[in-house]
Amino acid sequence: GQNIDQPTEMTATEGAIVQINCTYQTSGFNGLFWYQQHAGEAPTFLSYNVLDGLEEKGRFSSFLSRSKGYSYLLLKELQMKDSASYLCAVLDSNYQLIWGAGTKLIIKP
Amino acid sequence: ETGVTQTPRHLVMGMTNKKSLKCEQHLGHNAMYWYKQSAKKPLELMFVYNFKEQTENNSVPSRFSPECPNSSHLFLHLHTLQPEDSALYLCASSQEGTSGPYEQYFGPGTRLTVT
């Protein structure tokens, strides 16, 4: 079966750095997405990785290792507005998105 | 503003009611999706329309019936639902191209409660 694993919940302090991990087992791989979803709102696109390595976009970075079936989202200089759920999703060989259950990130002052 | 709108935002319906959810995308995309989001569960893909043709139907009960009259509009018709159908229903759109799929843009969702 296809599976995406990510922690259910994480807590971090304002101004700090947090890393949200995602591991996957899918039938094929055509890229990995990270989305942010604030409570009661739509998921919004953060990043897309299809090659190994680190993609940096401002305070957010996303890393991919295809051989390990592993990705992480790194958030720096945390702000209160970063409190949200972070969804990992993998595009499988049929170009269907397989979603993780999301990681709820709680930022404390 | 993501360019994808959904109405209504909240809906409470009895098990014998019939209602419809509406989605409209203003992004010129050629693919639209219905997802179900339940608490602490992964997004469940329900239906996919590509160039107005339904290409995915992931074993969704017949009490859910999609309709895609054109590439900008998507409906989800609901009838004789069960309490376990209570969830957030998300619509999304994307531009499918020869170089592969692009990211999906989501609407704000309809919070559905079945009583």
Side-chain angles (χ1 to χ4, degrees):
Chain A
Q2 310 206 85
N3 195 47
I4 309 284
D5 286 314
Q6 46 181 138
T8 303
E9 187 173 299
M10 298 181 71
T11 302
T13 304
E14 191 177 15
I17 299 173
V18 71
Q19 177 174 311
I20 302 174
N21 296 326
C22 171
T23 58
Y24 61 89
Q25 300 93 37
T26 56
S27 55
F29 179 85
N30 281 300
L32 184 144
F33 292 84
W34 283 97
Y35 281 80
Q36 180 191 59
Q37 185 177 22
H38 286 100
E41 297 183 12
T44 54
F45 169 78
L46 286 178
S47 67
Y48 171 69
N49 294 66
V50 66
L51 299 176
D52 290 351
L54 188 68
E55 296 275 347
E56 297 188 70
K57 198 183 285 187
R59 293 189 299 114
F60 292 8
S61 303
S62 56
F63 171 82
L64 175 68
S65 169
R66 288 171 296 171
S67 62
K68 295 182 179 178
Y70 167 70
S71 172
Y72 67 72
L73 181 69
L74 191 71
L75 291 74
K76 301 177 185 176
E77 302 168 18
L78 286 170
Q79 302 175 9
M80 297 304 293
K81 67 179 182 179
D82 297 330
S83 292
S85 288
Y86 291 85
L87 311 179
C88 173
V90 171
L91 211 53
D92 71 7
S93 56
N94 295 320
Y95 288 93
Q96 179 165 328
L97 267 179
I98 310 301
W99 292 86
T103 298
K104 182 178 180 181
L105 178 63
I106 299 168
I107 309 297
K108 295 186 174 179
Chain B
E1 179 58 55
T2 64
V4 181
T5 58
Q6 290 186 245
T7 55
R9 293 294 307 276
H10 300 274
L11 178 63
V12 179
M13 60 186 287
M15 288 190 283
T16 58
N17 292 157
K18 288 185 181 181
K19 296 286 184 182
S20 295
L21 309 184
K22 179 182 176 182
C23 175
E24 184 174 359
Q25 60 98 358
H26 313 273
L27 301 169
H29 289 164
N30 56 18
M32 296 186 76
Y33 311 78
W34 278 118
Y35 284 94
K36 177 183 179 183
Q37 187 175 38
S38 303
K40 298 185 179 180
K41 288 187 178 179
L43 282 172
E44 298 175 44
L45 180 64
M46 300 175 72
F47 303 103
V48 180
Y49 278 83
N50 214 319
F51 296 99
K52 299 188 297 178
E53 297 295 323
Q54 185 176 306
T55 57
E56 289 283 341
N57 179 344
N58 288 344
S59 302
V60 179
S62 59
R63 57 186 183 267
F64 295 91
S65 174
E67 178 189 0
C68 188
N70 55 61
S71 58
S72 298
H73 293 85
L74 187 64
F75 294 90
L76 188 62
H77 303 300
L78 316 171
H79 65 97
T80 59
L81 294 190
Q82 303 298 311
E84 60 264 29
D85 297 323
S86 297
L88 181 68
Y89 288 84
L90 290 164
C91 173
S93 71
S94 68
Q95 182 64 28
E96 303 294 295
T98 54
S99 59
Y102 299 88
E103 65 266 25
Q104 295 181 11
Y105 292 78
F106 286 83
T110 296
R111 173 66 63 185
L112 173 67
T113 303
V114 180
T115 60

